[in-house]
Amino acid sequence: MTDTSPIRLGVVGLGRAFTLMLPTFTQDARIRLVAACDPREMARSQFQRDFGVPAYSTIEQLVQDSAVEAVYVASPHQFHATQTAIAAAHGKHVLVEKPMALSLAECDAMIDSCAQAGVRLVIGHCHSFDAPYLQARALVRSGEFGPVRMVQAINYTDFLYRPRRPEELNTSEGGGVVFSQAAHQVDVVRLLVGDEVARVRAVTGRWDPARPTEGAYSVMLWFRQGAFASLTYSGYAHFDSDEWMGWIGEMGQAKTAGNHGAARRRLEQIASPADEARLKNEGTYGGPDYRATPQGGAAWHQHFGPMIVSCDRADLRPVPDGTWVHADHQREHRPLAPPPVPRFEVVDELHDALRNGSAPLHDGPWARATLQTCLALLESARSGRDVEL
């Protein structure tokens, strides 16, 4: 008999990643939030008010809580490896936000610690969980249109001009668009091609001295079986590529075209990095400016910008309500029903792994390969050469 009992989840870090997953956790009956930890007292107090369960100041306290079955590591990137090891050592399954870590050595340590403890390791949310990409992957794997030959992905956002802490603008500490955004784009493309990356060639843009990290990149990926992909991302807040997605935003919500420049305009009013960090803290969970995401399902699925997957007999175009198929003798839309819960696909994979013993797609080795490609992107941009994997 299938075990349908909810996963008893403890949250590590009550920042932006947590708030993006919160509508999923509160609306999906397969998850029950039982504890959290965060160094900020205001966030802990908010969590205790919202859920009536303990909120600790350290992960060491959280993993001692017998009610916690699995932990969701939603802390800043640089803490993922250490906190995963602590959770695994106490027998807790681990769901880790992307990127998995900041180095391959940290990834290896995370994989080893979970394997030795006999606990599951799932890396997400990443946009490769999104239903339109899973649908396009199923079409590719069906063989209906032949193998993937080429992928083109592009995304223009205001990422770099949202309020940031100082380390989020420092590449060595995991800042910039490569660790936070290429991790999505590379993951989606790898999912669709279904092959290992063999070679990487990239250029990056660092065009604003006040925000001294990568704000843009273009990268070519070559895969072992011959497919190739072109990926471009800009977080410089000028053009918004959601215009090409019918003004449906990354989170599956309708957008107003004229709002795109708001991030830059708001940042121009900030006097110092300390003020910017304070602004971010005040707008996150527990802060005086925090506004909870409205409950309920969305009309559209989440996405990561325009993408075309070229196969022998069709171009496939994942969109927020399904996949467009542009084939030899047809042009048709393969629809998807609206999502019942945002990011339900993450819970699908986590629950199936913990309750049914299924091997997760987004496991440690999968996420390690994505990070390896992102690190190769940075190395290629610095050296001006191809990087072989």
Side-chain angles (χ1 to χ4, degrees), residues 7-11 32-36 47 53-54 56 65 67-70:
I7 296 167
R8 304 184 309 279
L9 194 66
V11 179
R32 188 166 80 242
L33 295 179
V34 297
F47 191 86
V53 296
Y56 305 102
D65 190 328
V68 175
E69 172 187 8

Side-chain angles (χ1 to χ4, degrees), residues 299-373:
W300 300 279
H301 292 273
Q302 298 187 6
H303 69 84
F304 203 66
M307 183 172 296
I308 299 175
V309 184
S310 296
C311 303
D312 274 352
R313 294 184 292 279
D315 289 335
L316 309 179
R317 188 164 58 90
V319 292
D321 62 352
T323 300
W324 278 97
V325 177
H326 304 260
D328 289 347
H329 304 291
Q330 69 191 84
R331 179 183 181 274
E332 65 171 326
H333 180 244
R334 305 277 180 105
L336 284 169
V341 173
R343 297 184 174 184
F344 69 93
E345 305 95 335
V346 178
V347 183
D348 284 350
E349 193 165 316
L350 183 66
H351 197 273
D352 204 30
L354 271 57
R355 293 293 179 260
N356 302 324
S358 300
L361 169 60
H362 297 85
D363 61 6
W366 169 271
R368 182 191 188 277
T370 290
L371 180 67
Q372 183 182 32
T373 303

